[in-house]
Amino acid sequence: MKQQYALFISWVIALVAMLGSLYFSEIRQFVPCTMCWYQRICMYPLVLILGIGSFQNDFNVKKIALPLSIIGLLISTWHYLEQKVPGFAEIKPCTQGVPCSSEYINVFGFITIPFLAGTAFLLISLILIFTKKDKAI
């Protein structure tokens, strides 16, 4: 895959993920938990970084985008495990806010918000890892 297309596709994935998270919080009124905020901290800059890299055809943004994407994938995986694996979530009696083990959506018994975020991070990571830098002419 050409690096320009790879950056553009990665940017579209990050943009859709960001808009999806804003839809869930601002329109559906789902209050984000702490882990959701950490995932947003990794995803939102990717929209800007990959967008600029795609526009300028600068594949060097991979050095910044890939670590952010991998960190976001790890956070999403941890969050998903907290939701789906019994006993994995911390016991927090007397805390304020939304517990990270709560599921606002659960499609087909496995698709939750952290699953969607993790899928986006995984796709971005794989695209960036397996795309080779174009040779100079």
Side-chain angles (χ1 to χ4, degrees):
M1 178 183 301
K2 291 185 62 128
Q3 71 184 20
Q4 186 175 8
Y5 297 131
L7 289 173
F8 179 74
I9 292 167
S10 297
W11 172 73
V12 169
I13 293 168
L15 182 64
V16 169
M18 182 189 77
L19 293 174
S21 75
L22 290 173
Y23 166 77
F24 284 132
S25 64
E26 300 302 317
I27 296 172
R28 297 285 303 271
Q29 299 296 309
F30 296 161
V31 178
C33 69
T34 304
M35 296 290 276
C36 288
W37 280 113
Y38 292 146
Q39 291 166 73
R40 286 177 176 204
I41 288 168
C42 291
M43 184 63 73
Y44 288 14
L46 285 175
V47 176
L48 187 62
I49 293 165
L50 292 169
I52 291 170
S54 177
F55 180 72
Q56 295 182 346
N57 196 22
D58 182 7
F59 202 64
N60 290 322
V61 299
K62 175 181 177 178
K63 296 173 189 173
I64 301 166
L66 187 57
L68 268 177
S69 184
I70 291 172
I71 291 167
L73 176 61
L74 294 173
I75 294 169
S76 296
T77 303
W78 186 270
H79 191 185
Y80 188 73
L81 289 172
E82 281 191 5
Q83 287 183 334
K84 294 297 184 182
V85 177
F88 198 86
E90 293 181 33
I91 298 172
K92 295 182 184 177
C94 305
T95 59
Q96 293 181 344
V98 178
C100 291
S101 60
S102 65
E103 298 178 18
Y104 285 118
I105 65 168
N106 190 349
V107 181
F108 304 124
F110 71 95
I111 298 175
T112 63
I113 293 173
F115 180 87
L116 295 171
T119 301
F121 283 124
L122 179 64
L123 288 173
I124 292 168
S125 297
L126 290 175
I127 289 170
L128 293 176
I129 288 170
F130 290 112
T131 301
K132 302 286 187 219
K133 192 169 185 178
D134 288 343
K135 294 179 182 177
I137 297 174

